[in-house]
Amino acid sequence: MVMRESRNLCVNPKPANNTANTWIGNKCDITLGDGMLVTTPDATDGMANQIGNIYASWQSDTLPAGDYVAGVMLNSYSGAGDMPTFQNRILLVTGADGSVLATAAYTGRDRTRYAARFILPTAQQVTMRLYAPMADGQKARYRQVLLMTAGDYDAMIKQCIAWFDGDAAITGGVPPLSSAPAFRCACPRLGVCT
């Protein structure tokens, strides 16, 4: 198999720390460390006003026009029942003008990868949002963030790699994209990747 170089365009994709303020909370508190980004509603801002658009966000460098994929692993949710997020979102990508480019809805499952494909019509920065639960005291724990060109994402998936950073690669368990056909992985030990 010919290996192709792929790039994860997300700065701090583990995420490990927030020393460069790469992640910013909107009506939520965020903590980073041990490869996790944890979102908790800000009781004084988000919950007291019953405002549901609660998330952590990260802004990319300027990207050229083209097809992209954003993704994240929802590691866990600490609450009872379904995780109530604004419009049932886990992940949302906006363009420089604030327009919604892509979303990934909560499926009711933890330890699940969520991904969304989108098209940039012109060169611009994008903002990725990872949503917090709307109920007081609940937390969402995210890890393994990615932003890639669609070509790099497709090549990564065909190699049965679900996510990578500069230190490690995670194999198997890749999310299906509605615009991407299912395929069988070339890695017999991993079985079927869809």
Side-chain angles (χ1 to χ4, degrees):
M1 172 187 290
V2 174
M3 299 297 280
R4 173 187 162 153
E5 179 180 294
S6 295
R7 292 185 60 210
N8 188 345
L9 302 169
C10 182
V11 175
N12 197 8
K14 278 191 180 176
N17 61 54
N18 209 27
T19 55
N21 292 321
T22 53
W23 289 94
I24 299 169
N26 181 64
K27 299 182 180 103
C28 76
D29 295 321
I30 58 172
T31 54
L32 290 96
D34 297 325
M36 296 277 181
L37 181 148
V38 180
T39 59
T40 308
D42 182 337
T44 60
D45 193 12
M47 294 313 303
N49 299 317
Q50 296 299 307
I51 297 170
N53 207 4
I54 306 168
Y55 55 83
S57 67
W58 167 79
Q59 189 172 55
S60 73
D61 291 332
T62 299
L63 303 172
D67 296 347
Y68 292 87
V69 174
V72 68
M73 164 75 81
L74 173 62
N75 193 68
S76 64
Y77 155 65
S78 63
D82 287 344
M83 182 169 88
T85 62
F86 181 70
Q87 297 182 348
N88 200 37
R89 293 176 177 157
I90 289 294
L91 167 71
L92 178 128
V93 180
T94 63
D97 63 357
S99 62
V100 174
L101 299 173
T103 63
Y106 179 60
T107 63
R109 295 179 54 194
D110 289 353
R111 309 254 333 142
T112 300
R113 294 184 189 284
Y114 292 86
R117 190 177 294 252
F118 62 97
I119 298 172
L120 279 183
T122 61
Q124 60 187 288
Q125 291 179 306
V126 299
T127 300
M128 185 184 304
R129 297 179 184 176
L130 303 179
Y131 278 80
M134 292 190 300
D136 193 22
Q138 296 180 346
K139 297 179 183 202
R141 291 172 183 84
Y142 294 99
R143 62 187 175 106
Q144 302 172 359
V145 184
L146 66 80
L147 174 63
M148 306 177 79
T149 66
D152 281 357
Y153 181 83
D154 293 341
M156 178 185 75
I157 298 306
K158 286 179 183 173
Q159 296 173 46
C160 291
I161 298 172
W163 176 84
F164 68 92
D165 70 354
D167 299 324
I170 307 297
T171 57
V174 294
L177 293 172
S178 58
S179 60
F183 60 88
R184 293 214 174 262
C185 191
C187 313
R189 70 186 188 338
L190 295 176
V192 178
C193 299
T194 58

